Amino acid sequence: MTARLLIRRAILKRLYTEDYLVIVALCLHVSSAILWTIFGDNLYITLDSVQNILDIPVFLEKSGLSLHANLANYVIVWTSLWCVKLSFMAFFRSLGRHIKAQRYLWTGVLVFILASYFVCIGVLDYRCLSSTGFEIISACSLKLTSPRIC
């Protein structure tokens, strides 16, 4: 990707909308990796709880942190994926901007892509994934066994 951006910059003397969208997607992907590097230890709390290493307050705190990181990661990953889709859309717009039928088709596909992004972000169970550990265990334990994700 870096080579592609350098070549486009050298040959075309500028970057286009699709290039910036890919850069945003890459930054979001890196931020997801950073997030799981920081909060990755909390993923193994179920193993510690099975071996009775953790007491209940620590377990609830770590499970809450893990689910908060999970919620943030959902939003980051979906946004990154849709930035790549929008990058393709920006590329295809420049290819067919002089064809009237393609402009209508492009607009319809763009509306569908944006609507599907908002649906995927909207179906996340924010109440359960952003509550405290105790609230998550008491009110959301049944929902967490079968999450609704796009």
Side-chain angles (χ1 to χ4, degrees), residues 87-102:
S87 172
F88 280 114
M89 290 301 295
F91 175 73
F92 288 129
R93 180 174 186 192
S94 63
L95 288 180
R97 65 178 172 261
H98 300 295
I99 303 170
K100 190 174 186 178
Q102 186 170 344

Side-chain angles (χ1 to χ4, degrees), residues 46 67 70 74 125 128-129 135-149:
T46 55
L67 289 172
N70 211 5
Y74 283 149
D125 195 353
C128 285
L129 293 173
E135 292 170 356
I136 291 169
I137 297 298
S138 63
C140 305
S141 61
L142 293 176
K143 289 183 181 182
L144 293 176
T145 58
S146 58
R148 296 177 320 183
I149 301 173

Side-chain angles (χ1 to χ4, degrees), residues 2-15:
T2 305
R4 176 185 176 270
L5 292 174
L6 290 174
I7 290 169
R8 283 188 75 132
R9 179 80 176 155
I11 293 174
L12 300 175
K13 305 292 187 224
R14 64 177 280 219
L15 296 176

Side-chain angles (χ1 to χ4, degrees), residues 6-150:
L6 290 174
I7 290 169
R8 283 188 75 132
R9 179 80 176 155
I11 293 174
L12 300 175
K13 305 292 187 224
R14 64 177 280 219
L15 296 176
Y16 292 94
T17 305
E18 61 263 22
D19 300 321
Y20 292 114
L21 286 166
V22 168
I23 291 169
V24 168
L26 178 66
C27 292
L28 288 170
H29 189 67
V30 168
S31 68
S32 175
I34 291 169
L35 179 76
W36 285 120
T37 301
I38 294 170
F39 291 102
D41 296 343
N42 293 328
L43 290 176
Y44 301 105
I45 59 170
T46 55
L47 295 176
D48 291 341
S49 66
V50 169
Q51 297 172 357
N52 294 326
I53 296 173
L54 293 177
D55 56 348
I56 297 299
V58 173
F59 173 76
L60 292 176
E61 178 185 346
K62 286 192 173 200
S63 64
L65 284 174
S66 176
L67 289 172
H68 295 162
N70 211 5
L71 174 63
N73 191 53
Y74 283 149
V75 173
I76 289 170
V77 167
W78 289 122
T79 304
S80 173
L81 178 63
W82 261 262
C83 281
V84 172
K85 291 178 182 189
L86 291 174
S87 172
F88 280 114
M89 290 301 295
F91 175 73
F92 288 129
R93 180 174 186 192
S94 63
L95 288 180
R97 65 178 172 261
H98 300 295
I99 303 170
K100 190 174 186 178
Q102 186 170 344
R103 282 189 306 215
Y104 293 129
L105 182 62
W106 182 88
T107 304
V109 172
L110 179 66
V111 167
F112 178 76
I113 287 174
L114 291 174
S116 64
Y117 170 73
F118 289 115
V119 167
C120 283
I121 295 297
V123 299
L124 293 173
D125 195 353
Y126 292 98
R127 187 180 62 83
C128 285
L129 293 173
S130 63
S131 299
T132 63
F134 180 73
E135 292 170 356
I136 291 169
I137 297 298
S138 63
C140 305
S141 61
L142 293 176
K143 289 183 181 182
L144 293 176
T145 58
S146 58
R148 296 177 320 183
I149 301 173
C150 286

